[in-house]
Amino acid sequence: MICKGKLAGIVILLLLHSISGRAEELTLTDWQYRWLAQNESLESKDSGRSDWQPLPGSQMAPGRKGDDALLLRTRLPPGHWRDPVVFIPGVLLSLEVYLDGVLTYSFNDPIAVRATPWHMIPVLPSGGQLLLVRIDSNYSKIGLMGKILIGDRAGHLQSMIRRDFTRLGFGFFFLMLGGFTLLINTQNRDIAYYAFAVHVIAIAGYTLRYTHIKQLLPIEPGTWFYIWSMSLLLVMVTLLLFVREVFGSGRWQFINKLFYTNAVISLTGFIILVAGAIGLAAPQWLTNATLSLIRGMFVISLLFILVHVGFLAFRGNTNARLLMLGLPLAIIFATRDALWALDLIPGENTIGHWGALFFVVSLATILARRYAAINQQLRHYSIRMEENAREKALLLMDLHDGIGSIMTNILYLAEIAARKVAPGSRQPLETISGLAEEGMVEIRSFMTSLDEETEDWTTLIANMRRYASHTLLPHGMKVAFHSSTRTATHPPSGLLSLNIFRIYKEALNNIVKHTQATRVSIKITISPSHVYLKIEDDGPGLSDTNGWKHRGLTNMAARADRLGGHLEIRGEKGVTIECTLPIAREKPILQQGKQEDIPE
Amino acid sequence: MRIAIVEDDDQLLASLKVLLEGEPDIQVIATFNNGGDAIASIPTMDVNILLIDIGLPDISGIELTHQFKQKYPSIDIMIFSVYFDQETVFAALRAGATAYITKGCTPRELIEALHDLQRGGSPMSPKIARQVISAFHNEKIPSEQNLLTQREKNVLIEIEKGKSYKEVASKLSISPHTVNSHIKKIYEKLHSHNRQEALQKAQQKGII
């Protein structure tokens, strides 16, 4: 086995040599053909059912009539070569070559044939030998895939590289383009990108598969069959997907319907392919039918795409115009290659890969324009959102400033007024002060929740402890406050912080209003995933008359529920409120637990 | 104790005056509802303590604090504001405020804070004190170099290159309004009044 490095060296040397000069090659002409049954031996040629006939222009001989073996013969021209060989392009399926009636070369490898390899058969330098080629196949098409040539061995290799190098380069370019697009697209997850990437990889597979040069690459011959099959299965499905994403599905959703039809057929083809690969060969009729369906749908889909996109191009859609530039070129170039292969038009080489390049470039341009448009849109949205957020922040600041000043003013006016009335008449003024203070607490907790930068559990717990001392101590209640925060707990979001405080505030206010408790125990535990809050009092417990059941439970439970948490109130002996709320994972902080009684 | 009050809300200003004058050892020398009047008049008065609101109509209370502290370092300045976010609190303390009390405190708390300040203390509302302490714990104290946010630094760097607001907005994918508000913040934080001054101070402080 030739090592890869040596092989690469040979390829480079041949490449350089091929660029520097042109080798002389001759296409063998004046072919005659006749058909044989598959198992019929060559010796029966004189008693055969048909006589030798001159072969018309192409190597696809007419008049097969159920036969599975094709014989082709011609006399080699007199030569002037140093190391002459007959170059036979791919054949379907097996091949035997006779020189002056002697079997000189035989090829019957069921795996290698899948890559339709070329063959080089040494001949005499003087020429003039009778060349007879036997091709056996049970395929619907039987024959040669190209033209049989004669020339020097090195000359063949040179001209093969010269012919195929551009195609090979394009193939690798498509492969890289598709691969990079797949990598880039992991960020934006646009289906059009995936469709483009896979489509271009499929075109790459096709382009590489149809180079003769691939035989010099260290890849198993059978692999090329799978590359070609996958390309065939994916190429139209991905094109339809791309068209659907970029240009919409058209009237009656026909692009979408075509996409699903092609997808189902391709999936069937894929299953047949996999089954074949693991030794469960599908019936030949099924394989043939699927292949025909794929090809038929290919043509139909192409027509519909041309109509759909052509109409949009006519209406002035720039992307559609771009596609209408690339796609028809690819079709024209591919048609030209097919006609050339059938010897219907003259020419030296295939040009289909140039058509593929124009097409891929048009698709890439469409994608780049789409990306630019999406980016522009996102920029607009982000600017608008930023503007809105800024305006809202300013409004909130203004509101905060205004209401804050009013509340403070009320508080101070109540105090000033209280100084001027008799001590016995100060109750309403004290209530006004209390309400103003409560209003300020409310505003502050709201503003704190908006400022998530400074939000942390320590501040929230400190505010809760302060609120407990402000609310419960004046009513003669003793408060035991216990808090613990586990290490690496994420800080609370503004919404969570606001809701915890509201639930807590409501619970404490209810204790003041509806119980005659003398002792209140508060416990808050912050774990990495949950906040657990437990408030217990030693009052008479829940009853229908003291108002707990209706107001407290509904409001607090609804809040907990909205945050995906749970709240429970029990009241057989005193009232116990237990609330668990989930914590969204953000930035971690480090805190330790502590317990203390709030001094009176 | 001789006090001057700068507060844009006239009603609150009046209440504060009445409330504080009710205290035997507090004398309210003057009240102002904007910064300009305070700058013009206070130098001629014998004031120990200045009670300043942050949200003033003509000049920010932080800037006013900075100006007074530069010229009259012996005057104690107490910020009296609804704002308690870390950025504002640190900007005020950096500008020279010795006390920070949030609006909504009880009259008694305010009066006690004034006495505390008079005695040489540095009173702060519990929430403000906790902000300062927790900033120390979390090492979030804005140093000279990180006085500006990353976004503000980026804006300033673009301005330094001679770009217009519109060009800066386009480069940073933000709206020109946002650029404008960043510039205002930058001026405020650097105590500067124009582009040149802001750039000069930012370079001196090693910010850009």
Side-chain angles (χ1 to χ4, degrees), chain A residues 461-481:
Chain A
I461 291 168
N463 287 342
M464 288 168 81
R465 195 184 301 119
R466 200 163 46 242
Y467 191 79
S469 62
H470 274 295
T471 317
L472 303 177
L473 296 184
H475 293 86
M477 297 177 189
K478 289 191 173 173
V479 183
F481 193 99

Side-chain angles (χ1 to χ4, degrees), chain A residues 379 386-387 409 440 444 462, chain B residues 15 103 170 174-175 177-178:
Chain A
R379 231 173 87 91
E386 204 182 330
E387 193 99 334
N409 204 5
M440 280 307 288
R444 271 200 216 118
Chain B
S15 301
K103 282 182 182 171
S170 163
I174 52 178
S175 72
H177 288 295
T178 313

Side-chain angles (χ1 to χ4, degrees), chain A residues 274-320:
Chain A
V274 173
I278 58 170
L280 299 168
Q284 191 61 42
W285 65 266
L286 184 62
T287 311
N288 288 344
T290 311
L291 205 60
S292 301
L293 259 178
I294 289 172
R295 286 176 175 150
M297 282 311 293
F298 190 95
V299 176
I300 293 169
S301 304
L302 214 51
L303 284 174
F304 271 91
I305 289 172
L306 283 172
V307 170
H308 177 46
V309 180
F311 179 68
L312 290 173
F314 180 71
R315 297 268 303 265
N317 183 316
T318 312
N319 282 345

Side-chain angles (χ1 to χ4, degrees), chain A residues 332-364:
Chain A
I332 291 166
F333 281 37
T335 311
R336 181 263 169 205
D337 276 1
L339 293 174
W340 174 76
L342 292 170
D343 244 359
L344 296 174
I345 54 169
E348 277 200 1
N349 203 354
T350 56
I351 54 167
H353 51 286
W354 281 101
L357 180 72
F358 290 134
F359 179 52
V360 168
V361 167
S362 76
L363 291 183

Side-chain angles (χ1 to χ4, degrees), chain A residues 379 383 386-387 390 400 405 408-409 411-413 415-416 419 440 444 448 451 454 458 462-463 466, chain B residues 9 11-12 15 19 23 80 82-86 103-105 107 126-127 130 170 173-175 177-178:
Chain A
R379 231 173 87 91
I383 288 178
E386 204 182 330
E387 193 99 334
R390 198 181 61 87
H400 180 208
S405 291
T408 311
N409 204 5
L411 200 64
Y412 296 174
L413 285 171
E415 171 71 21
I416 294 163
R419 284 178 186 174
M440 280 307 288
R444 271 200 216 118
T448 309
D451 187 14
T454 55
T458 323
N463 287 342
R466 200 163 46 242
Chain B
D9 184 330
Q11 287 179 336
L12 180 59
S15 301
L19 182 80
E23 290 298 304
F80 186 57
V82 286
Y83 301 116
F84 52 84
D85 58 283
Q86 210 166 61
K103 282 182 182 171
C105 66
K127 201 170 173 67
R130 190 164 276 279
S170 163
S173 296
I174 52 178
S175 72
H177 288 295
T178 313

